[in-house]
Amino acid sequence: MNVVDLLCQLVRRPTHHAARAEEAGDELALCHDVAPMLRAGGADEVVVAACPRASGHPGGYVFARWGTPRTLINAHVDTVPANRGWSHDPWTPEVKGGRISGLGSADTKGAIAAAIVALDRARPRDVGLLFSGDEERGTAAVHHFLASPARATIERAIVCEPTARAAGVAHRGVVAAKATVRAEGGHSSRADHLPAPIVTMARLATMLDHLGRRFRELGPAGMQGVCMNVAALEGGVAFNVIPTQASLLWSIRPWPGFERAAWDQLIAGAIAALGADVQHEVVLDHAPFAGGGDELRRLVGGHATGFVGLDFWTEAALYQEAGIDAVVIGPGDIAQAHAADE
């Protein structure tokens, strides 16, 4: 099978996320597309499993095994929505100048195509291939697989992401949080006498920005700072209405070994200093990752351009939490991921 033709076929099958299920791509359909290819590649068993995405919309994965899998190769089938600025239809791949342009070509349908085409060269032994959904918005598919009997024999995982073939042995986590404050609200002629929810959240935004700046020189080499991102301040309906509530959304990307409890205390102190009844919740919590033991380094060492730390989060952290050593490596460049003309 030609890897270019196969990648183009995978790109033509939309698997992107969307707010409404009817507007989203169909990652389970892609799993059914590749299942016969895995069977033709001599797999002893191929299973297509349906499981809801984190959003509740349909999703799933396909798992193939050769023998008793000790090593798992995992790539995700889903993509982000098409970014603005594409010069052509994102799901109509273009092959030009030795490059394939199409949504998901780097992140990570190129890895799926490479793994399937590799079956033409040799049959794996005690290896599993997992092509899973819901990576870009949640982690439902990998969690579903890790809870299945198929996970029992897995000792190590090669997680495919566009690393330009560098082997990622560590990466940051992601923590997103939201604060909300509510008040009486009313006519703006009473603004001198009523609480101002948006101002309260703006004060918190400034505190978080200062806190992030304090951490910029902290952390291991190559991963200093927490990447504080004050992402959204919401509230208000009109210039002459005091809003009844406001909310602030922010995120950090902690390094492996980050002292999370101490950080949480700093956030609690900043919120307490506002002197208002602020509700705070963590809306996303992905742990950092540090892995890549000797056996994985031996397996990928001859193919990797080097062993590095990565700035972006991957599902390698989920394997580590499950007691499975992992490494992150794949074709394509992260600079192309989620961009127009990927």
Side-chain angles (χ1 to χ4, degrees):
M1 187 178 297
N2 182 287
V3 70
V4 174
D5 292 341
L6 177 54
L7 178 50
C8 289
Q9 178 181 336
L10 298 177
V11 168
R12 290 188 190 99
R13 172 70 77 176
T15 55
H16 58 289
H17 289 262
R20 297 174 19 170
E22 59 270 25
E23 297 174 352
D26 192 340
E27 61 187 35
L28 197 58
L30 187 144
C31 294
H32 283 291
D33 289 345
V34 302
M37 305 176 196
L38 298 171
R39 294 187 182 98
D44 296 308
E45 182 183 24
V46 178
V47 176
V48 177
C51 61
R53 290 174 167 178
S55 63
H57 299 157
Y61 61 86
V62 57
F63 171 67
R65 68 168 180 85
W66 289 258
T68 303
R70 307 294 180 188
T71 300
L72 180 73
I73 298 174
N74 176 210
H76 63 86
V77 303
D78 60 316
T79 76
V80 295
N83 206 338
R84 296 178 180 176
W86 280 80
S87 64
H88 63 89
D89 176 66
W91 297 280
T92 303
E94 288 192 356
V95 182
K96 186 184 302 182
R99 294 176 178 269
I100 302 171
S101 174
L103 184 59
S105 55
D107 191 14
T108 59
K109 292 180 178 180
I112 295 173
I116 293 175
V117 169
L119 297 174
D120 290 341
R121 302 183 181 181
R123 292 292 183 262
R125 183 169 57 187
D126 295 338
V127 167
L129 282 178
L130 174 66
F131 301 144
S132 52
D134 199 44
E135 192 271 349
E136 296 291 3
R137 283 284 182 89
T139 55
V142 167
H143 272 116
H144 189 282
F145 173 79
L146 289 174
S148 74
R151 172 263 180 271
T153 62
I154 304 297
E155 299 173 357
R156 62 193 73 88
I158 298 171
V159 178
C160 298
E161 290 288 352
T163 67
R165 289 185 26 248
V169 293
H171 66 59
R172 295 178 181 270
V174 185
V175 181
K178 184 177 183 179
T180 303
V181 63
R182 292 176 173 83
E184 177 183 344
H187 196 283
S188 62
S189 63
R190 303 178 63 206
D192 290 345
H193 310 288
L194 293 178
I198 289 181
V199 174
T200 301
M201 290 294 93
R203 289 173 56 204
L204 179 58
T206 301
M207 291 178 183
L208 293 173
D209 181 67
H210 287 166
L211 190 56
R213 292 174 185 274
R214 282 172 48 189
F215 275 73
R216 285 187 178 179
E217 304 303 321
L218 303 180
M223 287 192 183
Q224 290 94 342
V226 293
C227 305
M228 168 61 73
N229 179 39
V230 180
L233 173 57
E234 298 178 338
V237 295
F239 76 91
N240 56 354
V241 177
I242 303 170
T244 56
Q245 74 173 50
S247 63
L248 184 72
L249 181 68
W250 72 91
S251 68
I252 62 168
R253 292 182 178 266
W255 59 78
F258 182 74
E259 295 183 9
R260 176 66 180 277
W263 174 265
D264 288 346
Q265 288 181 350
L266 290 173
I267 297 299
I271 291 174
L274 296 171
D277 184 15
V278 176
Q279 303 301 312
H280 169 243
E281 62 175 328
V282 174
V283 297
L284 181 73
D285 195 347
H286 288 333
F289 161 73
D294 291 342
E295 180 62 18
L296 276 175
R297 287 175 180 260
R298 182 189 66 79
L299 280 173
V300 305
H303 308 280
T305 59
F307 294 92
V308 300
L310 304 171
D311 282 333
F312 56 93
W313 188 85
T314 80
E315 289 179 322
L318 303 182
Y319 291 101
Q320 184 181 54
E321 290 175 0
I324 299 171
D325 192 21
V327 69
V328 184
I329 186 171
D333 194 316
I334 193 63
Q336 291 288 312
H338 303 188
D341 290 348
E342 175 188 350

